[in-house]
Amino acid sequence: MSNCCTPDGSCHTSAEIKTTYKVAGVGSAHCQGVVAKAVGGLDGITAVDVEIGTGLVTVTTTAEPDEVLDTLIARTVDEAGYDFAGRVAA
């Protein structure tokens, strides 16, 4: 039995990958909520954490984010009225 399997034989392979992006203009709880709701509604994103003031947006995905997801997040943030500044180096 591998590490991902439970005693009853079912396997859980839900890897969580966290990626952080920078978004300008997140200065209040209202802004935090708008960005979190917009980004959290995208397919493939299982969780979103938005920091007020710093504008750091950490998304949790089950697959490695790629350019397609980055572009989708950028467009979503822009449509929500904020400035997407890209990924933050790990």
Side-chain angles (χ1 to χ4, degrees), residues 3-55:
N3 293 354
C4 73
C5 295
T6 62
D8 70 356
S10 63
C11 290
H12 303 284
T13 56
S14 59
E16 290 188 340
I17 300 163
K18 294 185 184 254
T19 308
T20 303
Y21 300 90
K22 175 76 173 165
V23 175
V26 182
S28 69
H30 171 77
C31 298
Q32 178 186 41
V34 170
V35 172
K37 183 175 180 179
V39 174
L42 298 174
D43 287 341
I45 295 180
T46 59
V48 180
D49 179 56
V50 181
E51 292 182 20
I52 298 171
T54 65

Side-chain angles (χ1 to χ4, degrees), residues 47-84:
V48 180
D49 179 56
V50 181
E51 292 182 20
I52 298 171
T54 65
L56 295 178
V57 177
T58 302
V59 299
T60 304
T61 56
T62 55
E64 189 68 39
D66 56 13
E67 285 185 37
V68 173
L69 182 61
D70 289 352
T71 301
L72 184 58
I73 290 172
R75 186 172 59 232
T76 300
V77 166
D78 184 57
E79 288 173 358
Y82 298 88
D83 295 321
F84 181 81

